[in-house]
Amino acid sequence: MAKRSYKDAFLDFGFTNIVDHGIIKPQCVICCEVLSNESMKSNKLKRHLTSKHPQHALQERAFFERKEAALKRQRFETPDNPAVVALKQATLASYKVAWRISNKKAPHTIGEDLVKPAAIDMVKTVCGEDVARKLEIIPLSNDTVRRRIVDMSLDIKHQVVDHIKAKGAFSLQLDESTDCTEYSVVRAVMCRFRRRTQASPLPLKHQMAFKRKITTMTTGSSG
């Protein structure tokens, strides 16, 4: 059976929409009751309004818009709300996939073009349609993957800076090399900065600080 879609006109009867296990369902903005997808019809939604909330049957749309806004705020302010939990899990999954894409130096488009469709096919085959629908909300577009990689890179940078500030002492190693485009670059590698952990009291940490292209000649005569 084809699934019904939500229409903006349904708010005139006091109904917004909510995604439940990958299925869009109507939700009353007054009593918060969630109806089935099959109930996504004007006559059924109007019947709910007039029978259960007759005092609001003649309210203008602005009244229901305020109720809808309050309901949506309530959804995201409730930590154990299934919709909030699903959103957090989907975001975390998106970061994990973006990390693997970056680690393999694969194009960012592979997330949406290959990884996500393949994951949905595998889960649908092994676990069924209902479980596979949960993967559809994982954001893996080209721009999303790029933003995730930038976020993780900045987080690593901030962690390293915080560790150095906490210890107060570090040393730098400068190294000149040639990258894949045959341009000479200078790398500054931080070494011998120590961070105390449970596994080792004073482990030695090595971290790439930066890489810069050399714009002058690298021979001694160019000094």
Side-chain angles (χ1 to χ4, degrees), residues 36-50:
S36 65
N37 178 266
E38 289 75 18
S39 299
M40 203 105 69
K41 296 180 179 180
S42 297
N43 60 334
K44 291 186 177 182
L45 302 181
K46 185 177 181 179
R47 186 184 309 127
H48 175 95
L49 175 64
T50 55

Side-chain angles (χ1 to χ4, degrees), residues 11 16 27-30 32 62-78 81:
L11 188 58
T16 184
Q27 182 179 26
C28 178
V29 300
I30 300 174
C32 301
F63 170 81
F64 298 120
E65 288 177 345
R66 291 193 296 270
K67 289 288 186 180
E68 179 187 36
L71 175 60
K72 290 184 176 180
R73 285 196 300 270
Q74 181 182 356
R75 289 179 188 172
F76 286 94
E77 289 173 357
T78 306
N81 187 300

Side-chain angles (χ1 to χ4, degrees), residues 119-182:
I120 292 176
D121 288 342
M122 288 186 289
V123 173
K124 186 183 298 184
T125 302
V126 177
C127 304
E129 293 274 356
D130 292 339
V131 180
R133 289 195 192 98
K134 296 181 179 180
L135 303 185
E136 295 178 356
I137 65 172
I138 299 176
L140 286 176
S141 68
N142 176 42
D143 291 339
T144 298
V145 171
R146 179 185 58 80
R147 287 196 302 269
R148 299 287 190 255
I149 294 173
V150 171
D151 288 344
M152 289 185 286
S153 299
L154 290 176
D155 183 66
I156 292 172
K157 175 183 176 181
H158 293 155
Q159 289 185 49
V160 172
V161 172
D162 289 342
H163 294 159
I164 294 174
K165 288 181 178 179
K167 293 305 173 185
F170 62 93
S171 62
L172 291 178
Q173 173 187 333
L174 295 178
D175 182 29
E176 183 268 329
S177 64
T178 304
D179 64 10
C180 60
T181 60
E182 297 186 355

